[in-house]
Amino acid sequence: MSTPRTRFPIPALDELPEDIRQRIDTVNEKSGFIPNVFRVLAHRPDEFRAFFAYHDALMEKPSGLSKGEREMIVVVTSAMNSCLYCVIAHGAIVRIREKNPRLADQLATDYTRADITERQMAMLDFACLVSDQAAEVSDDDLDAMREHGFSTEDIWDVGAIAAFFAMSNRMAGLTDMMPNDEFYQLVRTQAPAPDKPKPRLVK
Amino acid sequence: MSTPRTRFPIPALDELPEDIRQRIDTVNEKSGFIPNVFRVLAHRPDEFRAFFAYHDALMEKPSGLSKGEREMIVVVTSAMNSCLYCVIAHGAIVRIREKNPRLADQLATDYTRADITERQMAMLDFACLVSDQAAEVSDDDLDAMREHGFSTEDIWDVGAIAAFFAMSNRMAGLTDMMPNDEFYQLVRTQAPAPDKPKPRLVK
Amino acid sequence: MSTPRTRFPIPALDELPEDIRQRIDTVNEKSGFIPNVFRVLAHRPDEFRAFFAYHDALMEKPSGLSKGEREMIVVVTSAMNSCLYCVIAHGAIVRIREKNPRLADQLATDYTRADITERQMAMLDFACLVSDQAAEVSDDDLDAMREHGFSTEDIWDVGAIAAFFAMSNRMAGLTDMMPNDEFYQLVRTQAPAPDKPKPRLVK
Amino acid sequence: MSTPRTRFPIPALDELPEDIRQRIDTVNEKSGFIPNVFRVLAHRPDEFRAFFAYHDALMEKPSGLSKGEREMIVVVTSAMNSCLYCVIAHGAIVRIREKNPRLADQLATDYTRADITERQMAMLDFACLVSDQAAEVSDDDLDAMREHGFSTEDIWDVGAIAAFFAMSNRMAGLTDMMPNDEFYQLVRTQAPAPDKPKPRLVK
Amino acid sequence: MSTPRTRFPIPALDELPEDIRQRIDTVNEKSGFIPNVFRVLAHRPDEFRAFFAYHDALMEKPSGLSKGEREMIVVVTSAMNSCLYCVIAHGAIVRIREKNPRLADQLATDYTRADITERQMAMLDFACLVSDQAAEVSDDDLDAMREHGFSTEDIWDVGAIAAFFAMSNRMAGLTDMMPNDEFYQLVRTQAPAPDKPKPRLVK
Amino acid sequence: MSTPRTRFPIPALDELPEDIRQRIDTVNEKSGFIPNVFRVLAHRPDEFRAFFAYHDALMEKPSGLSKGEREMIVVVTSAMNSCLYCVIAHGAIVRIREKNPRLADQLATDYTRADITERQMAMLDFACLVSDQAAEVSDDDLDAMREHGFSTEDIWDVGAIAAFFAMSNRMAGLTDMMPNDEFYQLVRTQAPAPDKPKPRLVK
């Protein structure tokens, strides 16, 4: 197993605190490889624990947003920040979750032309606003979300995911984190589900 | 005690999970008031726990950066993001830590003219780069930090604090969080320490 | 009395033309110190005279805008330009005029969240437009001001103050002008007037 | 004589204060027409007097900069601000002063390709910095000017002219001031002086 | 005949392929000089042929846009790109086509204040959108054009001209192409047609 | 065969001029499908002919740049312009040419972290400069290219390709052109060639 690229030290797996090593073993078993973010952030165990606790609180819990929709937010806001790690890694997850081999590339380049619903487009507009100019978020922006059926809790989820990956993108840039090669190839060739929404250009 | 402004529900203090209520009691005893970020984020206990665990791992632990320097990073990057809550709240803390009633306002408006050392100026240049364009961080930028005496661990601290408050600023904008009135008045009139550095314009 | 920082020569007070020396004596008696802008600009007596004649024609004359409102325009547009001198000096004056120790910091960081009225928010939106993109000012923008009760003369005042301090901010940057220490401490701790408006986020 | 376009009242010439009317008569006799800026700003006599006193203190006095060079600064910084009045009116003056019918259009579109010397290019680079980001002006920028032979007083002149027209451009946008038709046609067809500098692209 | 400035080789006229030499002879006979774009691009005959075939397909064919309107698009979008060659050369053509000596300078500095109709203003708004942010063009933008009477074919013409000169501006910057002196003087002094539209500020 | 999405009419294949139909037949035989750009641009036969003649003159001819390198320029500059069609279509071609399934996604998100050589990085820096700010291209930028071994003819190629796709991206945005589904899946899973360069972050 190669050591991932970073500008900071990487601890050997067998020197890691037990809880961190177990978390890494679990993801390795499930995915067949260790995503580099785990190895790179393990340099700071307390920050590692807080990072993944935060991640799971947003990305794994029950929500009005599907898991695929949550990954869409990650890909779109990470592309705004030119974050190679997050675009590639979460692009793979969005392809898995949405069973659509085209979706990640569309979201990363121009989400207004992606295979998504009007409701998802509104979600991504709001996520981009939080990611790019959070001080400008207004009550009108929340009302626009509610018109698409998002609850107050859903709106928090969208905004908090955009906020969390604003941090994550910056950690990737700071450390020069690179996506594992495995991510690039996942779910590239299967046919998309037949009921995928018809893309419509909004705004 | 008034309920702070937010766009989301605020749980009553006596309905909060025990650990969160204790954390809030502790800060209240220490500060004489509950900073609004605690009440607003308590809406989501798991996220609250991760947020403050992350915060403490960066801001409270031993570091090559003084606590005052860490707060400087918060004020400067939060001002870039027009985050009223973080500029005012952490501005108060920077005045306390640095015993300089002028420093927070200088940092928030133009840190290149603030009462800081050349080394601190380099630190803030790097923090702004991570906050604003993290994908552009290069090995040359780390070398520039090292020329000012920052260790590899210090550099992680500077970048990780900038990254964490990129998230925090966005949560404040999302929730419409407002600083407590108490923050504005802290450490406004005492004389600064006589040995404060002579400000020098860099670049 | 120390000599203020500048990149250009500063004439001794007793070498100044009589009218300029008298103007400086007057401000010194009134304020208890000589704001650095007077010393720095005195390098060029004719420009000094025109600068302060212009200043007084806008800031001291009767107007539909209160003196506090005129200072709000200065703080907000100077913060857009990262002008440390004007933000700190006129921030002190806005605290004095409005009897609100919080107001200057709010205006400098995010005026949309400041303790001001909807009418004042509209005034500052217009001032920022003139300051940042004056060629884009349209008749619709003037109509929006009129809907908030501003007269044609008031609108000139708002725009002309924004224009004058666009110049002033640039002179401060050119000369590397620094605010006097005295400004930082003025009106920091008194309680704000009880009838201050409830802040409301607009747009 | 037609009344120039503006968003504010224009006083009749015979209702103006004597000193302002005389100033306007003088320019009319010299130019053969009254530039609209005189009519539009006469709405506020005190501001009019300060504006033109400031203008003359910068543009008419002896200086290390030729009058043509001072007009170059006006055209280039006004073009940055999309100020139609100042680009057209001062473009005409630059053609007169420099006896070069091509120069105004070059300066307004891309001064780095204009018929000017390396020294003038450095002057315009500095003027643009003051006009656009004055808080970023550093001692290094002044040193760069000195390497091209500019004295400390010349540097003040360049910066102060850029600052004054930052104000002037904003007044033109606020009032919707339009250039007189006469300006467009001045000095369009004569041959440029044979010794005009060879343009060289810098940076 | 002087050789125009460029960063690349310029073939002698008598070494050019026959069809290119004929094209250049024709423009020389018609204009009295050879616009530099012909000499500079002749370095690559195949690209030359495609460039001018494309140019003629857009600029010379029958269209719902007058030839003068097509040139307006070139001047405005080229000014956005600071392209000296295209602003000066096509500015001359717009003066010829529209018989208005003021129009080119107005369009290059601030087309919203130019002597054009509301319909032409809408056309230029659309052209700027295609030139600056084509991925953002939406069906609403096309509808706004249709409200001003533009047909679907006209809209293609406006967009395609903006697209073609996006390329042309970049070739001018790459090669450091300079406008011929002759362009500056064309149609500077004649009176504009008496029925020119009254300029109105839009937006 | 479905009709591709566009905002303009699409002629039936059997109504097209013979030369255009043959060109489309050829690409269809070679690729197994008709890329949408052929169908959409066929609405204007003369522009179609000029567009593809220009394309072939740049992309198909012998050059100091490999065909894969030319496609890299297209992907990187098209990503700057958020052009979904060109990023996806030319991303597929870059994967084919370079036999690297990761390369297109890297180039589209952050080319400074892509699997390319230092020389290719310099080529893409120059292409981005031409694409984004061509008026700023200076002789120094050409010298930087020469230091990496690019000839004068190579530099023209890089710049002209960036210029041509500046136009192409705008045509895609104007017409709302969408990439064919086939492009997304090409060359996704094969292993990259063993001798691919080690990525190095520059600047």
Side-chain angles (χ1 to χ4, degrees), chain D residues 10-127:
Chain D
I10 289 204
L13 288 171
D14 54 13
E15 291 169 0
L16 288 171
E18 179 60 20
D19 62 320
I20 291 178
R21 201 167 50 74
Q22 284 201 355
R23 167 106 203 197
I24 289 177
D25 285 348
T26 304
V27 71
N28 194 2
E29 280 160 32
K30 187 172 155 197
S31 310
F33 63 96
I34 305 172
N36 290 335
V37 65
F38 289 90
R39 300 290 315 272
V40 171
L41 295 189
H43 171 54
R44 292 278 183 98
D46 286 345
E47 298 167 40
F48 179 104
R49 291 181 186 107
F51 182 94
F52 286 103
Y54 216 139
H55 174 275
D56 294 353
L58 292 168
M59 304 299 281
E60 302 293 336
K61 63 143 196 164
S63 161
L65 312 176
S66 72
K67 287 194 176 179
E69 287 171 337
R70 286 178 260 182
E71 297 294 333
M72 290 179 197
I73 296 169
V74 183
V75 173
V76 168
T77 59
S78 298
M80 283 178 64
N81 290 324
S82 301
C83 180
L84 186 66
Y85 185 87
C86 295
V87 168
I88 300 301
H90 291 270
I93 306 176
V94 97
R95 289 192 300 270
I96 293 170
R97 298 286 193 208
E98 296 293 309
K99 300 183 181 20
N100 181 342
R102 296 194 301 267
L103 192 54
D105 291 358
Q106 293 170 339
L107 293 170
T109 301
D110 181 0
Y111 73 88
T112 68
R113 290 185 162 85
D115 297 344
I116 56 177
T117 63
E118 289 269 357
R119 181 178 174 277
Q120 289 165 342
M121 201 86 76
M123 174 187 81
L124 295 172
D125 288 342
F126 186 76

Side-chain angles (χ1 to χ4, degrees), chain C residues 20 102 166 168:
Chain C
I20 291 178
R102 296 193 300 267
S168 183

